[in-house]
Amino acid sequence: MEKVVIIGTGCAGLTAAIYAARSNLSPLVLTGKMPGGLLTTTSIVENFPGFPEGVDGYELMVRMQKQAEKFGARIRTLECVEAADLSKNPFVLTVDGEKIETQTVIIATGAGHRHLGLESEHLLEKKGVTYCATCDGAWPMFRNQPLVVVGGGDSACEEAVYLTRFASKVFLVHRRNCLRASKIMAERVHNHSQITLVWDSEVTEILDTKLDKVTGVRLKNLKTCAESVLPCAGVFVAIGHVPNTQLFKGVIDMDHNGYIKPKHGTATNIPGVFVAGDCSDHVYRQAVTAAGLGCAAAIDAERYLGGLCA
């Protein structure tokens, strides 16, 4: 029987693995279908402490995994949890048909970016299409260039304001004629001289030259059906996230969007089950905050196990 099983290997999962392994808990870590999580899709990470020159997202996750393995974490790559019986302890996870019993579980399954669903969006990812201004906005290809942000909520407004530090102009494309963002964020966007709002419109295609880089977007006005082309060097999609928590729906307390709600610290409503990272954090969604929550979850799990042995 396992002492700790960690589901997910983003910054939260791997940091939890490092701390749990250093506590001699020999954690079993299940990567799922996307080892390393969303950060592996980011070409350069410049805001993670300790890397003044920046670090490739994939490389950062490889380093974290090696660090966890160095202390005794066991990584099972591309293995997915198909079912989880959390009704009693020990818990039983079904992983690719195999039953695994464990005393504690750390859920670090992360969240995925909500996509536009365009073929051109998929083909141009990392070539000018991105989902995180904080992560990618300072790329040289975006500096002093017109950029497009898609969305109308707080995240989209925050992305647009942030990108004004680098872009020559930011166009915020929204399907409606008013922002869904909080009043203060909406005011910042409306009052910013570098931001132009494009109302009642959707992106129907992202344009490129031989799939080399983004050169613009094709827009459709939803009221008039008129089409137009807006030149830009990058498209930042900010239409929300989808937490990867479907497996635990109806079992673990979540909010209406599916984000797991900790009861206290990182502990969920089920004793022995802990959560860390973007599957519970819909506010910050940064690599460093996910790592901090992974650390906390491992410490909470260790203390829980200590209580069982007391």
Side-chain angles (χ1 to χ4, degrees):
M1 181 170 60
E2 302 292 339
K3 292 181 179 179
V4 182
V5 171
I6 300 169
I7 307 174
T9 50
C11 278
L14 289 176
T15 303
I18 291 169
Y19 274 79
R22 280 176 54 84
S23 298
N24 293 323
L25 296 177
S26 186
L28 175 64
V29 186
L30 308 172
T31 70
K33 295 180 180 178
M34 193 175 188
L38 279 180
L39 208 62
T40 60
T41 66
T42 302
S43 296
I44 186 71
V45 179
E46 295 182 315
N47 55 5
F48 198 87
F51 296 93
E53 304 302 323
V55 59
D56 178 81
Y58 178 81
E59 179 187 352
L60 176 61
M61 302 320 297
V62 168
R63 289 188 182 190
M64 291 181 72
Q65 179 171 322
K66 287 181 178 178
Q67 190 173 0
E69 290 176 315
K70 172 185 175 182
F71 295 116
R74 293 163 295 136
I75 313 291
R76 289 176 57 164
T77 306
L78 298 176
E79 296 202 5
C80 301
V81 179
E82 300 160 351
D85 182 356
L86 306 179
S87 60
K88 59 182 179 180
N89 201 315
F91 308 119
V92 180
L93 305 178
T94 303
V95 181
D96 292 344
E98 176 190 354
K99 302 290 186 182
I100 297 176
E101 291 189 343
T102 180
Q103 291 178 289
T104 65
V105 174
I106 296 176
I107 302 170
T109 49
H113 297 293
R114 197 181 299 278
H115 289 209
L116 296 172
L118 303 173
E119 181 181 2
S120 53
E121 173 190 19
H122 172 68
L123 292 173
L124 289 165
E125 202 166 315
K126 290 189 178 182
K127 298 178 180 179
V129 174
T130 180
Y131 303 87
C132 178
T134 308
C135 306
D136 307 327
W139 283 1
M141 66 186 294
F142 296 143
R143 288 185 177 273
N144 301 314
Q145 299 293 322
L147 302 176
V148 165
V149 176
V150 183
D154 278 345
S155 293
C157 290
E158 288 170 5
E159 300 265 283
V161 171
Y162 180 81
L163 288 171
T164 59
R165 304 179 186 185
F166 315 105
S168 60
K169 189 79 176 178
V170 177
F171 296 90
L172 182 58
V173 178
H174 187 38
R175 294 174 57 88
R176 303 174 185 173
N177 61 0
C178 62
L179 296 171
R180 294 182 290 104
S182 60
K183 184 177 180 180
I184 187 169
M185 284 307 305
E187 287 179 350
R188 287 177 186 172
V189 167
H190 280 290
N191 295 332
H192 206 296
S193 61
Q194 282 181 259
I195 299 175
T196 297
L197 290 150
V198 183
W199 299 119
D200 301 312
S201 299
E202 68 176 4
V203 175
T204 58
E205 184 182 4
I206 299 172
L207 307 175
D208 70 294
T209 53
K210 298 180 181 179
L211 299 182
D212 181 45
K213 63 179 181 178
V214 169
T215 59
V217 294
R218 191 180 306 280
L219 300 175
K220 178 181 178 180
N221 186 290
L222 298 177
K223 287 188 174 179
T224 66
C225 293
E227 293 192 347
S228 61
V229 171
L230 179 61
C232 66
V235 178
F236 292 76
V237 181
I239 55 175
H241 290 76
V242 181
N244 301 319
T245 58
Q246 296 84 354
L247 180 67
F248 308 103
K249 188 175 182 179
V251 178
I252 295 178
D253 288 347
M254 303 178 186
D255 67 14
H256 65 282
N257 289 316
Y259 289 93
I260 294 175
K261 296 194 299 184
K263 189 174 181 181
H264 55 83
T266 65
T268 69
N269 59 299
I270 299 178
V273 179
F274 306 89
V275 64
D278 288 3
C279 58
S280 65
D281 171 25
H282 58 87
V283 178
Y284 302 105
R285 294 195 301 268
Q286 297 298 306
V288 67
T289 52
L293 289 168
C295 162
I299 293 173
D300 287 343
E302 179 190 7
R303 290 174 177 171
Y304 173 83
L305 290 168
L308 291 181
C309 297

